[in-house]
Structure formats: structure tokens, C-alpha cells
């Protein structure tokens, strides 16, 4: 079975911040989980490189836009490497393959009369790259209703996509397939917006030089969002007729800021092309600081490199996935970070692994005693596996982690009660073998969330699994019986406050 997952492609006008990391880490977690359950996963991410905003940023830096986009795109790639992101494809909208796809789609839609030439007269917000109808603007104070920044007035000839033709079709589709928009509370927002009436969408810009040329007699450039959304098709090998076997996307992760583009314009474009629609579009919430969205333009970004330095890659990944239910906003604070790190990672998980291995070394000469799992523990393991799977299929990372931590807590409790350091050797054997089995299962379960820690635990257990050769079942645990344990290392050092 295949699993196609995407993140937004990020603008390269500034370096990646915590928000970009959030979506990409979440996508990585899903990609890894589905690989572990035996699926053929295709994980797409990349950079959105056209438009005035990017050209202006290059100009400000005093370098050519080509050099600028190369450098900035490389920064995103480097960040993903640092964060242990296992993408299958990193797409850039400046790639030839993508340019060809955009022009092919443009031509096809024009031939089908889904695109026509008209005149656009209205406002444009360059930071949001969005056309804003006159009725949404106060003429005395022309600012963007979304981001509050000044807008430009535009009157120019433009090609339009007949978005209005898809109003009824979209509403019917969403009525029949309400599960496509997630979380469910976002569906109403989308259907209300469509019900108010959709205007045709201007998809070319006259003045923009840094963009894909429209395949029209006039030399216009293609509107950046029309260009960007098509990246998901380029990566699926669209040639004007066919797509590869990964199509359609199974999950498209986005932030709530770009829901309308993905839940309205994008499906309408696919309908016009006669292609299957994504199975799920999930719009997560924002990380905020003092209740304001964290973003470059607000100047309140938290540098991911600082966080990595302080909490490590897995500390960062764990916090983002555990702290806030995916879908809701979350207020960033270093205090919360430290609390989570110390309690869940250093205390609960770190101590469990350290204590158990220490005792295996002392009492059993570093060899894992024969595997013993009590029926209660077996029941708990089964329950956790099922619940994690359910939560992951609903893209609920924090609850999935709560489930895994039930195992961590239970094993720590067993150690505290049974005190194997102070009990007859047969009883110690049972306790430690049970803990080792549990730790092994935990190392598998945490792999999608904190892969580095999972690898470290595996190294300590002297075992290595290949992510696409493993299926998440409790059967694997017998693998560790009789094994010599590897070198011990501290997983998470408590942070002093
Ligand atoms: O919108 N909290 O790119 P972009 C959580 N190029 N997530 C956040 C966030 C925050 N404070 N800030 C950003 C674009 N994000 C377009 C997308 S797709 C065809 C084109 C994340 O660089 C979140 O995923 O502005 C959001 O949707 C995305 O970054 C916007 O990135």
C-alpha cells in the first residue's frame, strides 16, 4: 500500500523558523510511522521560490535572485538534515520539471476553457501573495484583512481561472467527503467561505518578472500560488495526462493560514484537470508568542538552531509533537520546554533505560535475561499498539505519545515496586526481562517521533532494525532474548533551571 504525504513548500525569502520545522517534523513522523507499518511512502517537501517577495529579498541582499534562491533553498535542506527529516523528494519551484508541469497545466486548462483573458482590478497583498476583492478593503486604510500590512492597487490584463464554475461541485464534494478537511471544525469555515460565492481567480501577473512564464502570447508570469500548488502534481510525475502510483496525496499537512488555498483553489484545479482529490488536508494550528503568530514578518521568530543547541534534535521534535494537540494553537515558552524535557524525557524515559541497563549489567553480566512478559504487560502492550495506531491515523501526535508513555510509566512503576536490586535473583530476572522487552517495544514506538533516541536505545540493546523491514507488533520483542547489551549512554541530561 502506498502513502503520499506532503508539507507546504516554504517561501525562501527568510530562513526556516519553528513554524516550518513544526509541519515538516509532523510530516516526518507520519512518513516514518507508515513506513514502519510496511507502506510504500513518498514524502514530499520543498521550497516556493517565485514572486515579488523573493525577488525583493534578493535585491535587498544585493545578489542575483538565482543565487539567493539557491542559497536559501539549501538552508532549508540543511535544516531538514539536522532535524532528521526523511523526505523522499525536495522540490524547488524553479526546477525545469516543475516549470514544465505548470505550463502544461496552464495550457490544458486554457484549451478546456477553464482559463480566459480578462482584466483584474483590485488589491494585492505581496507578503500573502493574495488578491483581495475591493469589498474587503477599507479605501481609507487599504491594508490586508489577513496580515494587516499595506496592499497595492492593481489594474491589469490577466488570465483568470474559472474558480466560480467549481463552487457547486466543491460544496457537493465536501458534503459527500467531509473527512477530507481536518480537523473537522475547519470544514465549516471552508464551506461557509465557498457558500458566500467564489470569484474567478487571477492567475497571471503583469509586472512580476520573477516567475514562470505563462504559455500565452503575452509574456505574463504565472501567479505564485497557481505555480506553487502544482508542486504536488509535479512530484507525482504529472505529464498532462498521467500521474504515478502515489497519486492522490493521502495526507497534505498545512498550517491554518493557507487552508483556503488548499481546500478551495487546489481541489478546484484538480477537478478541472479531471484528477483525483487529496484524501486528507490537515490544517494545524500556529505556534504563538504572546498570542501572536510566530513569523518572520512579525520579527518574533525563535531560531531552531538555538533550540537544537539547548534541547537537542529529539528534545525539539518531542516538544513540538507532544505539547499541543495538532490542530490547535500553542503558546511557545522556554519554561514549558524545560518542564517537558526534564519530566518526560530525562526523568521518565531516560531513567527507565538507564536504571534497567545498569541492573542488567550488574546482575546479569550485560546479557538480557530470557524474555518474560506478564499477561498484564502483554495486554498493555497490545492496547498501546492499537491506540497509537488509532491516534496516528487521526493525526493526533500528542495522544499517541501519551499512549507510549503509559508503557514508560508502567515499567518505571514495576521497577520501583519490585526493586530488582534488592530481590531474589529469579524475581530480578523476571522484572528486568520484562523491562527490557518493554524498552525494546518503546524504542520501536518512539522511532517516528524521536528517531535519534530510538537508534541510541537500539544501539544499547545491541540491535538494529531497518525501518521498512519492521512492522509494529509486540512479536518483535523476543528478538532481544539472550542478547549482550551494548555500551550505555545517557539519553537526556536534565536541564538545570
Ligand atoms: O505559505 N506556527 O509558505 P510559508 C505553525 N509558500 N506553523 C507555521 C507557523 C507558525 N507560527 N509559521 C509558518 C507559504 N508555519 C507558501 C506555501 S504550498 C503550495 C505554498 C508553517 O513559508 C505552516 O505549515 O509562509 C504554514 O502553513 C507554512 O509554514 C507557511 O510557510
Amino acid at each position: 500500500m502506498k502513502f503520499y504525504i506532503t508539507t507546504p513548500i516554504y517561501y525562501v525569502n527568510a530562513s526556516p523558523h519553528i513554524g516550518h520545522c513544526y509541519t515538516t517534523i509532523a510530516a516526518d513522523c507520519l512518513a516514518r510511522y507508515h513506513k514502519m507499518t510496511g507502506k510504500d511512502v513518498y514524502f514530499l517537501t520543498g521550497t516556493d521560490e517565485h514572486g515579488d517577495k523573493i525577488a525583493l529579498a534578493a535585491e535587498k541582499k544585493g545578489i542575483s535572485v538565482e543565487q539567493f534562491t539557491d542559497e536559501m533553498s539549501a538552508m532549508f535542506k540543511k535544516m531538514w538534515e539536522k532535524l532528521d527529516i526523511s523526505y523522499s523528494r525536495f522540490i524547488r519551484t524553479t526546477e525545469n520539471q516543475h516549470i514544465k508541469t505548470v505550463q502544461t497545466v496552464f495550457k490544458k486548462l486554457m484549451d478546456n476553457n477553464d482559463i480566459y483573458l480578462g482584466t483584474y482590478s483590485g488589491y494585492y497583498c505581496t507578503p500573502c501573495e493574495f488578491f483581495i476583492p475591493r469589498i474587503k478593503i477599507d479605501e481609507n486604510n487599504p491594508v490586508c484583512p489577513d496580515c494587516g500590512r499595506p496592499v497595492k492597487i492593481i489594474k491589469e490584463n490577466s488570465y483568470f481561472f474559472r474558480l466560480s464554475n467549481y463552487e457547486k461541485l466543491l460544496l457537493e464534494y465536501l458534503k459527500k467527503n467531509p473527512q477530507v478537511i481536518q480537523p473537522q471544525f475547519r470544514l465549516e469555515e471552508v464551506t461557509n467561505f465557498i457558500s458566500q460565492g467564489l470569484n474567478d481567480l487571477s492567475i497571471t501577473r503583469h509586472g512580476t518578472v520573477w516567475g514562470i512564464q505563462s504559455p500565452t502570447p503575452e509574456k505574463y508570469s504565472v501567479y505564485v500560488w497557481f505555480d506553487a500548488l502544482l508542486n504536488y502534481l509535479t512530484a507525482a510525475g504529472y505529464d498532462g495526462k498521467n500521474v504515478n502510483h502515489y497519486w492522490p496525496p493521502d495526507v497534505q499537512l498545512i498550517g491554518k493560514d493557507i487552508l483556503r488555498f488548499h481546500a478551495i483553489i487546489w481541489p478546484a484545479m484538480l477537478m478541472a484537470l479531471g484528477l483525483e482529490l487529496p484524501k486528507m488536508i490537515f490544517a494545524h494550528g500556529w505556534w504563538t508568542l504572546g498570542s501572536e503568530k510566530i513569523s518572520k514578518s512579525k520579527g518574533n521568530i525563535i531560531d531552531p538552531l538555538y533550540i537544537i543547541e539547548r534541547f537537542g534534535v529529539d528534545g525539539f521534535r518531542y516538544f513540538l509533537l507532544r505539547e499541543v494537540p495538532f490542530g490547535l494553537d500553542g503558546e511557545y515558552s522556554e519554561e514549558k520546554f524545560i518542564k517537558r524535557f526534564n519530566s518526560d524525557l530525562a526523568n521518565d524515559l531516560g531513567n527507565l533505560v538507564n536504571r534497567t541497563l545498569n541492573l542488567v549489567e550488574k546482575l546479569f553480566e550485560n546479557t538480557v535475561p530470557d524474555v518474560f512478559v506478564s499477561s498484564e504487560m502483554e495486554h498493555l502492550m497490545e492496547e498501546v499498539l492499537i491506540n497509537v495506531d488509532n491516534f496516528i491515523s487521526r493525526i493526533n501526535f500528542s495522544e499517541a505519545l501519551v499512549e507510549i508513555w503509559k508503557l514508560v510509566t508502567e515499567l518505571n512503576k514495576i521497577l520501583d515496586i519490585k526493586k530488582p536490586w534488592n530481590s531474589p535473583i529469579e524475581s530480578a530476572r523476571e522484572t528486568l526481562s520484562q523491562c527490557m522487552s518493554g524498552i525494546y517495544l518503546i524504542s520501536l514506538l518512539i522511532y517516528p517521533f524521536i528517531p535519534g533516541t530510538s537508534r541510541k536505545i537500539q544501539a544499547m540493546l545491541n540491535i538494529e532494525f531497518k525501518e521498512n523491514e519492521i512492522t509494529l507488533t509486540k512479536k518483535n520483542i523476543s528478538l532481544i532474548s539472550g542478547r549482550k547489551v551494548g555500551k550505555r549512554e545517557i539519553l537526556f541530561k536534565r536541564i538545570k533551571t
Side-chain angles (χ1 to χ4, degrees):
M1 209 152 88
K2 65 91 187 176
F3 183 77
Y4 181 19
I5 175 151
T6 68
T7 72
I9 47 169
Y10 307 110
Y11 287 128
V12 290
N13 58 319
S15 25
H17 63 68
I18 185 174
H20 304 122
C21 297
Y22 188 42
T23 325
T24 313
I25 288 172
D28 184 60
C29 180
L30 291 178
R32 286 180 190 273
Y33 185 85
H34 287 283
K35 247 183 237 168
M36 284 183 87
T37 54
K39 289 192 189 137
D40 170 15
V41 170
Y42 190 63
F43 168 15
L44 174 71
T45 189
T47 41
D48 192 353
E49 304 187 10
H50 290 125
D52 289 346
K53 185 160 69 176
I54 316 285
L56 281 170
E59 204 180 297
K60 231 170 143 183
K61 227 179 152 191
I63 56 177
S64 75
V65 69
E66 287 83 2
Q67 187 189 342
F68 179 72
T69 50
D70 282 351
E71 284 177 13
M72 295 303 289
S73 179
M75 263 177 96
F76 276 86
K77 258 190 166 163
K78 223 168 138 192
M79 180 62 79
W80 302 156
E81 226 168 85
K82 243 192 161 62
L83 287 174
D84 220 342
I85 304 297
S86 62
Y87 60 78
S88 325
R89 164 97 150 94
F90 186 101
I91 195 169
R92 299 181 58 187
T93 52
T94 45
E95 278 172 27
N96 284 336
Q97 191 200 351
H98 178 68
I99 294 171
K100 216 170 135 201
T101 307
V102 172
Q103 289 173 335
T104 304
V105 168
F106 199 110
K107 232 176 141 291
K108 187 168 169 134
L109 295 184
M110 211 155 47
D111 293 346
N112 292 350
N113 195 26
D114 267 307
I115 289 178
Y116 63 92
L117 184 61
T119 307
Y120 180 81
S121 167
Y123 291 92
Y124 192 79
C125 173
T126 305
C128 295
E129 298 287 9
F130 196 51
F131 296 97
I132 304 150
R134 279 175 188 271
I135 48 159
K136 292 256 172 88
I137 299 264
D138 170 5
E139 304 272 340
N140 298 318
N141 180 28
V143 294
C144 171
D146 276 344
C147 74
R149 283 171 285 194
V151 286
K152 315 198 260 211
I153 190 150
I154 290 180
K155 186 164 195 258
E156 62 190 27
N157 287 345
S158 167
Y159 283 87
F160 285 82
F161 170 55
R162 292 190 198 277
L163 187 60
S164 58
N165 275 0
Y166 293 91
E167 208 174 287
K168 252 183 83 188
L169 286 169
L170 281 169
L171 285 173
E172 278 167 17
Y173 186 82
L174 292 176
K175 202 166 172 197
K176 269 198 212 134
N177 305 280
Q179 76 291 347
V180 169
I181 311 288
Q182 292 292 338
Q184 273 292 280
F185 65 85
R186 298 257 169 234
L187 178 67
E188 200 180 315
E189 179 186 327
V190 173
T191 47
N192 281 350
F193 190 86
I194 302 172
S195 307
Q196 284 166 24
L198 295 177
N199 293 323
D200 289 345
L201 180 73
S202 167
I203 54 162
T204 55
R205 297 292 316 283
H206 213 113
T208 313
V209 280
W210 180 239
I212 297 176
Q213 241 181 40
S214 59
T216 54
E218 310 81 1
K219 296 277 173 266
Y220 294 160
S221 49
V222 176
Y223 169 46
V224 277
W225 269 101
F226 192 83
D227 157 357
L229 287 164
L230 289 171
N231 89 86
Y232 308 126
L233 262 183
T234 304
Y238 185 62
D239 60 2
K241 271 197 196 117
N242 300 309
V243 275
N244 66 24
H245 74 283
Y246 288 112
W247 195 262
D250 294 270
V251 177
Q252 300 210 268
L253 293 186
I254 53 168
K256 65 178 185 180
D257 45 332
I258 53 175
L259 178 63
R260 282 184 206 159
F261 295 96
H262 283 82
I264 300 172
I265 300 174
W266 171 229
M269 285 164 73
L270 291 173
M271 282 177 172
L273 290 168
L275 289 168
E276 236 182 293
L277 267 48
K279 292 190 190 148
M280 185 196 287
I281 296 161
F282 194 111
H284 64 68
W286 285 337
W287 283 98
T288 58
L289 200 62
S291 306
E292 278 223 70
K293 181 189 177 202
I294 293 178
S295 75
K296 181 74 186 175
S297 56
K298 297 229 163 71
N300 60 354
I301 63 153
I302 317 280
D303 183 0
L305 294 176
Y306 165 76
I307 304 179
I308 295 170
E309 174 90 31
R310 192 143 161 69
F311 300 98
V313 167
D314 280 358
F316 189 22
R317 291 179 63 118
Y318 182 80
F319 178 80
L320 291 183
L321 296 172
R322 173 64 184 84
E323 189 64 18
V324 175
F326 207 59
L328 302 185
D329 289 352
E331 175 73 8
Y332 174 87
S333 95
E334 198 160 313
E335 233 171 63
K336 284 189 204 168
F337 223 121
I338 296 172
K339 223 168 138 191
R340 262 285 156 233
F341 184 95
N342 282 345
S343 76
D344 299 11
L345 297 177
N347 265 6
D348 297 348
L349 180 60
N351 264 345
L352 170 67
V353 174
N354 194 41
R355 286 205 288 173
T356 307
L357 287 174
N358 191 11
L359 288 163
V360 168
E361 183 188 329
K362 277 203 184 120
L363 303 176
F364 296 99
E365 292 167 348
N366 257 340
T367 306
V368 182
D370 280 352
V371 167
F372 161 84
V373 179
S374 69
S375 56
E376 292 87 2
M377 180 53 68
E378 191 160 341
H379 184 73
L380 179 66
M381 286 174 167
E382 247 154 35
E383 201 178 87
V384 168
L385 277 162
I386 292 171
N387 291 347
V388 167
D389 197 61
N390 277 333
F391 283 122
I392 287 285
S393 67
R394 304 208 296 264
I395 328 266
N396 189 336
F397 303 106
S398 50
E399 287 301 325
L401 283 166
V402 168
E403 284 300 316
I404 301 171
W405 254 249
K406 279 186 185 160
L407 268 176
V408 177
T409 309
E410 185 56 28
L411 292 168
N412 270 323
K413 214 164 93 192
I414 290 177
L415 277 178
D416 290 342
I417 293 172
K418 301 266 181 174
K419 301 187 178 27
W421 55 91
N422 193 15
S423 65
I425 197 73
E426 268 322 301
S427 156
R429 185 189 304 279
E430 241 181 57
T431 309
L432 291 175
S433 113
Q434 175 129 296
C435 287
M436 289 299 284
S437 315
I439 289 173
Y440 180 57
L441 185 61
I442 291 166
S443 81
L444 296 178
L445 283 166
I446 59 173
Y447 179 72
F449 303 85
I450 41 176
T453 307
S454 166
R455 285 186 211 108
K456 277 189 194 162
I457 299 179
Q458 287 164 49
M460 288 192 251
L461 299 186
N462 201 6
I463 200 163
E464 190 192 349
F465 67 81
K466 302 228 164 21
E467 64 171 13
N468 39 9
E469 284 173 11
I470 199 122
T471 38
L472 274 173
T473 66
K474 67 178 175 38
K475 268 193 233 129
N476 315 82
I477 58 181
S478 58
L479 277 172
I480 60 165
S481 205
R483 212 163 254 277
K484 264 265 185 255
V485 171
K487 202 168 167 283
R488 224 166 352 117
E489 70 170 303
I490 298 293
L491 291 176
F492 302 98
K493 280 203 188 83
R494 238 189 115 73
I495 293 171
K496 292 202 182 83
T497 46

